[in-house]
Amino acid sequence: MNIKSLDLFSQKFHQNPYEYYEQIRPHEPFAKVKLYTEAPDSWMAFTYEAAEAVLKDERFIKDMRTVFPGEMTDENVPPISQTMLFADPPNHRRLRSLVQSGFTPKKIMGLSGRIEEIAREQAEKMKEHETVDFIEAYAFPIPIIVICELLGVPQEDQLDFQRWSNVLVDINEASQYDEVLMEFMMYLEKLIYSRRQSPQNDLLSHLIQAEEDGDKLTATELYGVVMLLIVAGHETTVNLISNGLLALLTHPGQLDLLKNDPSLISKAIDEFLRYNGPVEFSTDRWARESFTFMGQQVQKGDHVIVSLASADRDPEIFSNPEKLDITREKNPHLAFGKGIHYCLGAPLARLEGEVAIRVLLEKFPNVGLAANLSDLEWRQSFIIRGLKELPIRLTLR
């Protein structure tokens, strides 16, 4: 196919991007694509080899203020773009060090019991209905409650976070972006002020007080990291859980396998992440200098992204990549990234996914899809891969 005609924002592409990747990947491991009409072409990595190389090569940088020093400054770069996700060494190490103490393995495992409680509470609520939208009733509430409780966000404000987050990642909501961002910022300003005056035993208070080698987060960095944790910390997990259930419901043999052997849940989560992961594309990178990469001449300032979805279906790495196999032994997927920007919240996302799917299948072993597969509509987000709704039929034991 003509890669220049690839429309990454069309509903047709979102419905099944994998059939496009299968045509492109063998011929274009690293190629230019048109993302935006008014913008220059961007480089995109399609093969696993190219994707891994981009993610690990520090010549591809994240901080746009370095690439465009005259145009991009602290004042006109959004707070979320001043977080560790968009930082380069040595600033990246500083920001990650200040945040990662809140995500130690011990602290994450300490959340296991509470995550189980939340999952069982949501499952109990679903018992009142024959059919539900799985995302609204179960996949969304679990991670948003977890991340909000972790940060110390009051329960009554959690629905606002759903609305703000949806607008910030959905390209169809671009007209509301500035208004919602301002609303989000004003809320965070009040919440952070409250925690400064009266620290609590929560992650937000920890971040305000965090200190590493005499350094602290600036006010803008603090706003940014809270926004990042809320948006990235729940959006990706919502879609890990819902995409994972969809994969099982469309592969009944794998569903039966997991129900008969719940110990496979850890491998199953990795396979969901690979097979139809919650993050389709990496965040933006730019070439720090001009150089040859994968046989192509990259110019300084060129925009570069990675198709994680394509890389994780590369037959050079994964045997029968189009097949869902929850017993897969070799599964080095890139769903959480690679290199210094490997997702800090990966252990939490895995834990939430494992608990959510396990509890669901315990409570509703005969769960089924309550819609035609062709009628399901995928969200038009450039980063996130997730459904707008996932109607399911509930049948108790």
Side-chain angles (χ1 to χ4, degrees), residues 133-191:
D133 172 12
F134 177 71
I135 295 174
E136 181 180 14
Y138 193 78
F140 171 77
I142 295 171
I144 195 64
I145 292 172
V146 170
I147 198 66
C148 284
E149 287 187 357
L150 193 61
L151 282 164
V153 173
Q155 184 175 0
E156 61 269 22
D157 297 335
Q158 290 172 9
L159 285 179
D160 285 331
F161 281 86
Q162 177 183 16
R163 179 170 57 85
W164 294 331
S165 180
N166 284 342
V167 170
L168 293 176
V169 301
D170 195 325
I171 60 175
N172 286 330
E173 306 289 349
S175 61
Q176 300 181 50
Y177 185 90
D178 290 340
E179 179 184 347
V180 165
L181 182 61
M182 182 60 66
E183 192 177 337
F184 199 173
M185 289 282 289
M186 289 175 65
Y187 175 85
L188 290 180
E189 185 176 1
K190 292 179 182 177
L191 185 63

Side-chain angles (χ1 to χ4, degrees), residues 8-17 135 139-140 161-173 231 234-240 242-243 278 280-281 376-390:
L8 299 170
F9 299 102
S10 70
Q11 185 57 228
K12 185 178 180 182
F13 174 81
H14 284 292
Q15 285 298 111
N16 186 8
I135 295 174
F140 171 77
F161 281 86
Q162 177 183 16
R163 179 170 57 85
W164 294 331
S165 180
N166 284 342
V167 170
L168 293 176
V169 301
D170 195 325
I171 60 175
N172 286 330
E173 306 289 349
V231 175
H234 94 270
E235 278 285 354
T236 52
T237 311
V238 169
N239 297 306
L240 164 58
S242 54
N243 292 4
E280 185 152 1
F281 300 102
L376 299 179
E377 191 173 353
W378 293 87
R379 294 169 62 187
Q380 287 190 287
S381 167
F382 186 65
I383 299 292
I384 297 296
R385 176 156 179 78
L387 291 164
K388 290 184 177 181
E389 296 180 350
L390 178 57

